[in-house]
Amino acid sequence: MDYTCMQRLGAKLGFISGLVHYAKLESFERMLWRVCKGYTILTYQELDEFIEDPESKEPTKWVVFLVSYWGDQIGQKVKKICDCFHCHVYPYPNSVEERKNIMSGINTRIQDLHTVISQTEDYLKQVLFKASESIYKWVVQVKKMKAIYHILNLCSFDVTNKCLIAEVWCPVDDLPSIRKGLEEGSRKSGASIPSFINRIPSSDTPPTLIRTNKFTAGFQNIVDAYGVGDYREVNPAPYTIITFPFLFAVMFGDFGHGFLMSLFALLMVLYETNPKLHRTQNEIVRMFFEGRYIILLMGLFSIYTGLIYNDCFSKSVNIFGSSWNVSAMYPDGSSIKKHVNSTFLALDPNVTGVLKGIYPFGIDPIWNLATNRLTFLNSFKMKMSIILGVSHMTFGVVLSVFNYLHFKKTFNIFLVFIPEFIFMVFIFGYLVFMIVYKWLAWSAEFSKDAPSVLLHFIHMFMFATDKNNLPLYKSQFGIQVFLMVIVFLCVPVLLFGKPMYLYWQHHGGQTFASYRKGYQLVRHGSEEELSLLRSHDLEEGEDHTNSESQHEQSKETFDFAEIFMHQCIHTIEYCLGCVSNTASYLRLWALSLAHAQLSEVLWSMVMRMGLKVAPDVGVFLLMPAVAVFATLTIFILLVMEGISAFLHALRLHWVEFQKKFYSGDGYKFTPFSFHDMCLSLEREHAL
């Protein structure tokens, strides 16, 4: 019925329309029925689309409803119930014509809104597409501006002169370029007051700056991973360039594996300008790329040691021809083939005529067929590891002298370096001497009667002799006793020398340098000469005006107990560490043996099985065997064994070598650089 007809009949009918949450529908309907006592008619329908909730901003399922009620009082109750359930109420006209007009108006508005939204989206896409072309440039500009303002905020503001004062560290070699840059910046900006730079004295320790290139950067990162060196401390990186890949190659000695590793690194070196390699997010690829020159040297040194071991994929290469005449070991020529084919060939150098000369380079390839090959190689590699280890550690001790000389701690040369050097050389240097002397003095003919170096080394500490073990040379016992007495006398010097000297110096003892400084301060009495002296001291890295205050401060902070405890720990660690570190270098022998044996097992279990099959079937089995052999060689022998040898070489440099002279307690010089900022943005895929 039309609304006008209802009015003529005296019916006071009203309508309320709106939206209610889907979860509240049942409660809403029940509340209308109970409160209005049945004088309402609820009509509802679920919407097909989800509508965003204005409060939670989440897509929510809603129900549209129409409440028809009788009477004004019931209408007031319905409105209160709608407010209670947070319904969204919309006006509902009473006449049909008004409802049709509102519906047509709403549809027109909806169409207009859809048109506006589509046009707006198209425009936004065009704007964003144009902005995406310049977004990287904008990000770089914003980053640079923020970085510049961050640096400016670190400066101090001089209210009187209305200027910014920045106290920074900079390399001395870069001072002319910095002055030139300040002058050019002042000229371009049109500043009324030019910018300038002055050198000021500072008691703080400067940061450490080590200039590197793309070749030396990887080795410097290895050293910095242990610790950044103190200012003007000896840098181990130049020596690490040679010693690190060499020690790696001693453990990884294989000509074939070294060639594959060098080839892989050479490809990365040739394509190092490829921007994809610089921007890669793959950590493994980036790690290999940044260490490409390290891998290249490790591969080249592995080729060298592989030629010495005469080992190429577990096989020996007969380059110069064997220097062994095996037929001399078997007078009956028919048994030679029998022994060789049955793999029971034991080489004996004592047989007359078996040696035709010396193999020109490396190990003779005949040892690859001998059953006593491991006995020969184990003895050779074990003694070689001891010689390399003692030489490496002694070189580290010698490098500490340069630190003492540069930091003007001459007393450490006499009280620390000389006792440490004597302790190292008189014990482990003597062990190397015995190994080399036994090689030279005892030939294979008298090898059965040759004395044991290990027993002589043990009896050296016990001040004893072994009647069953022949001496290496005359007066051996007396020389060993003399060496041990000197070593035992060096331990108290190393333990008490430095603390007692510092205690004496603290309680009035003066050195020649202190007298010299006092003479200079008295002689340069005028203000002009003192200023000249101060400027000269700044160039030399000293400041005489602060010498007295520093001396008083050192008196206040001097603690003999702490210094003595530190020296006790250093002495015990060094003396015991020499023994453990020397034994630690035996890993060169162990890993070299493990790599060779693993390579031989891989060859015998894969390649040999493919080569033993009959020719008609082997054609189909050889290709899969080669594929399996190549895959296992790359992943096991190159990657896994390579990482293992790399970590062991890293430990030998950090613990056994660098600990002898390198403290690594400094901090790195990190200058403000736009170039590094752009590289970080490229790695973050800001493009």
Side-chain angles (χ1 to χ4, degrees), residues 191-202:
S192 58
I193 302 176
S195 301
F196 57 91
I197 182 172
N198 289 328
R199 298 182 64 178
I200 59 175
S202 176

Side-chain angles (χ1 to χ4, degrees), residues 3 11-16 66-72 75 92 94:
Y3 183 73
K12 296 181 180 180
L13 188 62
F15 304 96
I16 295 178
L66 177 64
V67 180
S68 305
Y69 59 88
W70 187 277
D72 294 335
Y92 189 84
N94 294 327

